[in-house]
């Protein structure tokens, strides 16, 4: 009985970990007017938001909650996708300066190797 329960729990945790989607790219700090973001002002949470490429926003639409990590995966912040980044290649992304500061890069204009996951 115990081995069956252990197996079930192990498989559940494995599928949970396998379902995570991780994107890595350069995080660029930007500061658009809230009234001009793609998803509107109601999308933004207390810590800010990120902007992703059109291809990514097609897959992960407005309001999708993501965790943004520093390159070493030691500090993170949870924010929604709220804007489209017209200059982002592949999995590069932009965030308001508060998000950049919360992952430990206060005042940085860009953070190569940053991650965002769903």
């Amino acid at each position: 009985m115990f081995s069956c329960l252990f197996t079930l729990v192990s498989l559940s945790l494995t599928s949970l970990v396998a379902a995570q989607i991780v994107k890595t790219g350069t995080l660029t700090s930007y500061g658009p007017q809230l009234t001009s973001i793609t998803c509107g002002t109601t999308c933004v949470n207390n810590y800010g938001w990120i902007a992703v490429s059109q291809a990514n926003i097609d897959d992960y639409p407005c309001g999708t909650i993501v965790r943004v990590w520093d390159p070493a995966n030691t500090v993170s912040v949870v924010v929604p996708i709220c804007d489209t980044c017209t200059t982002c290649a592949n999995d590069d992304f932009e965030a308001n300066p508060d998000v950049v500061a919360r992952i430990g890069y206060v005042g940085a204009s860009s953070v190569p190797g940053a991650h965002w996951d769903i």
Side-chain angles (χ1 to χ4, degrees), residues 43-100:
C43 181
V44 177
N45 76 10
N46 292 338
Y47 302 120
W49 67 92
I50 67 169
V52 297
S53 68
Q54 185 63 55
N56 276 313
I57 209 165
D58 288 345
D59 290 338
Y60 314 107
C62 292
T64 299
I65 301 298
V66 300
R67 182 174 296 277
V68 175
W69 292 90
D70 68 319
N73 287 330
T74 56
V75 182
S76 68
V77 62
V78 175
V79 293
I81 295 173
C82 292
D83 203 2
T84 305
C85 174
T86 58
T87 60
C88 290
N90 302 319
D91 295 328
D92 293 342
F93 59 113
E94 297 178 330
N96 62 306
D98 193 36
V99 171
V100 177

Side-chain angles (χ1 to χ4, degrees), residues 34-47:
L34 278 178
T35 56
S36 66
I37 63 174
T38 302
C39 303
T41 58
T42 58
C43 181
V44 177
N45 76 10
N46 292 338
Y47 302 120

